[in-house]
Amino acid sequence: MAVSHLRNTPITGKSYTTPADATASQINGCSVCVDIHSRELEHAGEPSARIFTVSAWREAPYFNDAERAALALTEAATRLADHPDPVPDEIWDEAARHYSEPQLAALVISIATINAWNRLNAATRQIGGDWAEQVIQSASQPS
């Protein structure tokens, strides 16, 4: 329910589940998820520059403060073992400044979910490919 809440809640006009998914997937080296979420971004009409630079979001001029807060939280929560304080208060507080409690909860659940998918795909050596477009097409069709 929380993830669907984020997906159905405008956050500065767009859902940040997909860029967060792409960011975590890039960090984790999950080719399947990078492939799928890059195609999802393209299918949703994201400009190429944003798709190509999501992994360098700090240096790219294409992301607003709310997006940067979600991407920073995604990166911190994905790289838990890299720092003694994996999600510093400043990262959490900046995300909380831009998102309501339900949106923030949904974002955290979404980050945990994509990290689980990344690990499943990496452990079973899944490979991205042409089938990703079929996944995108079937997901975008009404039920």
Side-chain angles (χ1 to χ4, degrees):
M1 178 159 166
V3 173
S4 65
H5 176 77
L6 181 65
R7 290 187 187 277
N8 296 323
T9 302
I11 301 173
T12 64
K14 298 181 183 177
S15 166
Y16 286 98
T17 301
T18 301
D21 289 347
T23 298
S25 299
Q26 289 169 343
I27 291 167
N28 290 324
C30 180
S31 68
V32 172
C33 293
V34 169
D35 189 4
I36 288 174
H37 298 299
S38 296
R39 290 179 195 229
E40 280 181 333
L41 288 165
E42 181 180 46
H43 187 74
E46 280 289 346
S48 301
R50 285 172 53 89
I51 297 169
F52 299 149
T53 60
V54 73
S55 64
W57 60 268
R58 282 186 177 84
E59 294 81 20
Y62 310 113
F63 303 95
N64 66 35
D65 290 343
E67 294 168 318
R68 290 175 187 283
L71 293 169
L73 182 59
T74 300
E75 189 173 287
T78 298
R79 297 182 180 274
L80 293 175
D82 291 355
H83 306 285
D85 183 10
V87 182
D89 289 344
E90 68 237 16
I91 289 176
W92 182 264
D93 293 345
E94 183 64 12
R97 192 168 74 78
H98 294 283
Y99 302 106
S100 68
E101 282 189 26
Q103 289 173 323
L104 197 53
L107 182 57
V108 169
I109 291 168
S110 180
I111 294 165
T113 302
I114 193 59
N115 274 281
W117 279 112
N118 292 164
R119 282 149 179 75
L120 288 168
N121 285 324
T124 58
R125 300 177 190 234
Q126 299 301 305
I127 300 169
D130 292 336
W131 63 269
E133 187 60 31
Q134 295 172 348
V135 172
I136 304 307
Q137 292 298 326
S138 65
S140 66
Q141 294 183 9
S143 302

